[in-house]
Each structure stands twice: as structure tokens, then as C-alpha cells.
Amino acid sequence: MKLAPHLHRLGNDIVASYLVDLPDGITLIDAGLPGHWGDLQRELEEIGRPLSDIRGLILTHGDSDHLGFAERLRREAEVPIYIHSADAHRARTGEKPKTPMGPMRLGPTLGFFAYAARKSALRTTHVKEVVEIEDGDILDLPGQPVIVGMPGHSPGSVAVHIPAVDAVFVGDALTTRHVPV
């Protein structure tokens, strides 16, 4: 779904991935759930771009609902996967760090699990190879993404500022739903 010039969303307001489409290629932010792979294919077809135009995927953190199709993209299209060093181990292994959690809300939790089941959440594959990034890094990807450390949701949570599209992606740093993943 086109949100603004050069900016598209895959998924919905529960779980999303973002595609930044610029003349020099595509930068993806997060990989949603495994079932979003089909959404990615459809969006690329709609904008007339091949999978090979994706230059990199930046993960805002290592939760499984952000890893989705990352390993498939890395394996099939040789796209590098970027993640903060504090969440890199989790992205590779699935080992979740101990972080404090507030009370869980039943409605949003059930909505999340229902959507996740439809998008193959139980088939998430961890990423075998990642490129570790740090707060303040400016990546050599379309849009020159700037990494802003936002630890809290996870130790390696980051925001991604892409000046070329005047957008900041914050992962789950501002989520209004508390769902354990």
C-alpha cells in the first residue's frame, strides 16, 4: 500500500514492513511475518521493481514479528540484513532477552495471534547472517538511513530515519499494544 511518494507499507496496523522505493534501489524496514513474502512480491510487481532492486533490509529489533521473511530474502536475493549488535544474537537464534513487561491486554493479544496465524507466524526462520549496526550509523543504502538507538522494547531496538522520504520508523518503540512475542 502506497503511503506517500516513495514509501509503501506491507501488512497492516498490527504487523508491518516498509518499503522505501528510490531511483537507486529499495531499502526495506522490518520483514513482518513469513506470510508477508507474498505481500512483498505483489507490492514490487505493482511498482514495477524486481526483487533484485532491494539493496538492504534493516530490522528495528529482533522480535519474530519483525524477522518474517528476512532469511528468505537474504538467501534467495542475497540481500544484507542489518540489525543492532545488541539484538543480533536474538535474530540469529531466537533467544529472547529478559526485559520487563507490563500487563498484557487480552483483546490486542488475541487480535495479534489471529493475524499472526494467517500470516504464518509459526514458520519464522531466524537469520543466519546479519550485518551488525550501531546508534549513529548512516548506512550506504538507498535513502541513506540513519540509525537511532532506542533501547527499551529490546536492548537493540532502533529507529531508522530516512531523510530522503522524511520518515522515521520506530519498530515497537511506540506501540500501544502489549503483546508478548
Side-chain angles (χ1 to χ4, degrees), residues 28 31 34 37 40-41 51-52 54 56-57 67-81 123-130:
L28 289 176
W37 179 257
L40 173 63
Q41 300 300 312
L51 191 63
S52 61
I54 300 173
L57 165 62
L67 295 178
F69 58 77
E71 175 58 18
R72 184 173 182 179
L73 184 66
R74 186 200 67 78
R75 188 180 63 246
E76 292 184 17
E78 299 180 0
V79 171
I81 311 300
R123 294 185 315 154
T124 297
T125 303
H126 299 293
V127 185
K128 294 192 185 320
E129 296 175 28
V130 298

Side-chain angles (χ1 to χ4, degrees), residues 156-171:
S157 288
V158 300
V160 181
H161 175 224
I162 303 188
V165 294
D166 199 24
V168 178
F169 305 89
V170 297

Side-chain angles (χ1 to χ4, degrees), residues 41-145:
Q41 300 300 312
R42 283 186 293 281
E43 197 69 26
L44 289 171
E45 185 176 322
E46 188 172 304
I47 64 175
R49 301 290 293 259
L51 191 63
S52 61
D53 278 358
I54 300 173
R55 304 290 182 250
L57 165 62
I58 306 167
L59 299 173
T60 58
H61 61 290
D63 282 353
S64 61
D65 61 326
H66 292 254
L67 295 178
F69 58 77
E71 175 58 18
R72 184 173 182 179
L73 184 66
R74 186 200 67 78
R75 188 180 63 246
E76 292 184 17
E78 299 180 0
V79 171
I81 311 300
Y82 298 85
I83 190 165
H84 190 279
S85 61
D87 272 21
H89 179 73
R90 178 167 185 202
R92 288 190 299 263
T93 66
E95 293 177 21
K96 186 172 183 175
K98 301 286 186 220
T99 54
M101 292 186 1
M104 192 180 335
R105 294 174 52 213
L106 184 59
T109 301
L110 293 175
F112 171 82
F113 284 123
Y115 181 74
R118 289 192 308 274
K119 290 293 185 177
S120 306
L122 296 178
R123 294 185 315 154
T124 297
T125 303
H126 299 293
V127 185
K128 294 192 185 320
E129 296 175 28
V130 298
V131 177
E132 294 186 16
I133 56 177
E134 302 294 335
D135 180 29
D137 286 353
I138 300 172
L139 304 182
D140 188 21
L141 292 172
Q144 300 299 119

